Amino acid sequence: MQITDKGLDEYAKYVELVRSITGYEIPLSTDGYGNYDINNCIRVGRALEPYRLAWLEDMLSWEMTDQWKILTEALETPTITGEDIYLKEEFIKLCDTHAVDIIHPDMGTSGGILETKKIGDYAEERGIPMALHFAGSPVSFMANVHCAAATQNVLALEMPTQAVDNPWWEKLVRTTDGRSLITKGFANIPLTAPGLGIELNDDELKKHLHPSDNSYFTPTPAWDDKRSADHLWSGRYTIGQKTGVVPNNHLTPIQLCYQSAYCMNFSKNQPY
């Protein structure tokens, strides 16, 4: 399947309309592409170059390093990928080959605060900036804020539609310094208390649990006797086994608590 010239024109008209409203002082980027082959990715990218987009996101699947490099070299608009990558090793491949212009880890699935900082630090040494993909709770948001503040090459932290569409989103937590989470598009970094600088607002959280499962941090006695085969170190061998993606039903209690607390999707009461 090929994108026709008419299709490219319609695509460009849509972006031109948005750009005419935002102007050029506000960065504008694109996402949500279909299953294009690399040739059509290049055609789309070139059609949108007059609008000086901040980036073209996930035009190809992240593991296609060679194709990403071809695409990046064919376009002037920055390319970006990485929200589905777990741990730093695959980011290293993208950075070493400069296959993309910007890396885009999601801290909730890339390995947590420290692993994401390692990813950003490595990319910085290769001359590649980092934007943080994010779609989760205010707890996860503040964890991202701390990671971004501690990492030099961060361009931006994504703000999820949940926060815009749900007035109660920010009320799920209380900041320890009394400030709001965000002021005029900038996150407030807490400096007067340890940890993330927030506390859970239990009463507000309980209002938004899914009706089919309204449990709230219930005990997990099953984990008193069971152990998992996960590993503590990324990209290394432990007890003769490789690291890798660990399913939720095989996580340790510590990991379950981490995922639930940092990345809870309150619409389903499941790790996001």
Side-chain angles (χ1 to χ4, degrees):
M1 180 180 296
Q2 296 291 312
I3 302 175
T4 64
D5 290 341
K6 180 179 179 181
L8 291 174
D9 290 341
E10 291 298 320
Y11 206 156
K13 289 178 184 177
Y14 186 85
V15 176
E16 182 178 18
L17 174 62
V18 177
R19 179 56 92 187
S20 69
I21 297 171
T22 64
Y24 282 86
E25 294 182 359
I26 298 176
L28 178 66
S29 58
T30 63
D31 189 11
Y33 294 96
N35 295 318
Y36 302 163
D37 62 16
I38 187 171
N39 297 317
N40 279 296
C41 287
I42 293 173
R43 293 180 68 217
V44 169
R46 288 176 175 171
L48 301 183
E49 285 191 339
Y51 308 105
R52 309 311 299 165
L53 298 174
W55 65 63
L56 302 168
E57 182 176 337
D58 292 336
M59 296 193 84
L60 298 165
S61 186
W62 64 264
E63 70 272 15
M64 297 179 178
T65 306
D66 293 340
Q67 290 193 29
W68 269 111
K69 184 171 179 61
I70 294 171
L71 177 63
T72 298
E73 291 179 344
L75 301 176
E76 294 181 7
T77 304
T79 57
I80 184 172
T81 194
E83 67 183 73
D84 297 315
I85 300 177
Y86 176 53
L87 304 181
K88 66 182 181 296
E89 282 70 28
E90 296 299 329
F91 284 103
I92 289 174
K93 296 177 185 178
L94 291 170
C95 294
D96 284 350
T97 57
H98 207 128
V100 292
D101 294 303
I102 308 168
I103 58 167
H104 199 208
D106 186 307
M107 200 201 70
T109 54
S110 63
I113 297 176
L114 181 57
E115 185 76 2
T116 305
K117 175 167 172 51
K118 289 179 181 179
I119 291 167
D121 290 344
Y122 189 90
E124 182 185 5
E125 292 181 356
R126 298 299 185 272
I128 297 175
M130 177 172 72
L132 291 172
H133 181 273
F134 168 66
S137 75
V139 183
S140 180
F141 174 76
M142 288 309 299
N144 274 274
V145 168
H146 281 273
C147 182
T151 311
Q152 187 166 316
N153 64 334
V154 172
L155 296 176
L157 166 59
E158 184 174 0
M159 195 64 190
T161 56
Q162 298 100 307
V164 178
D165 298 337
N166 299 300
W168 45 263
W169 185 86
E170 189 169 332
K171 298 177 183 177
L172 297 175
V173 297
R174 299 186 185 92
T175 58
T176 53
D177 58 12
R179 294 184 296 171
S180 61
L181 295 181
I182 303 163
T183 302
K184 295 183 178 180
F186 290 88
N188 292 315
I189 302 171
L191 302 174
T192 58
L196 298 181
I198 53 174
E199 297 175 351
L200 295 180
N201 184 347
D202 295 321
D203 292 337
E204 188 68 29
L205 284 165
K206 291 175 182 178
K207 294 178 184 179
H208 306 288
L209 298 174
H210 197 277
S212 65
D213 180 8
N214 60 1
S215 60
Y216 186 70
F217 289 102
T218 55
T220 55
W223 288 103
D224 292 342
D225 302 314
K226 294 182 180 179
R227 302 293 296 176
S228 66
D230 63 291
H231 307 299
L232 299 177
W233 303 101
S234 63
R236 292 169 175 81
Y237 289 82
T238 307
I239 320 177
Q241 300 177 13
K242 292 183 179 181
T243 58
V245 177
V246 182
N248 282 341
N249 61 345
H250 290 153
L251 292 174
T252 64
I254 293 176
Q255 289 177 310
L256 282 170
C257 289
Y258 176 84
Q259 287 200 355
S260 297
Y262 280 68
C263 310
M264 183 175 286
N265 175 355
F266 291 99
S267 63
K268 296 182 179 179
N269 194 27
Q270 294 292 331
Y272 194 81

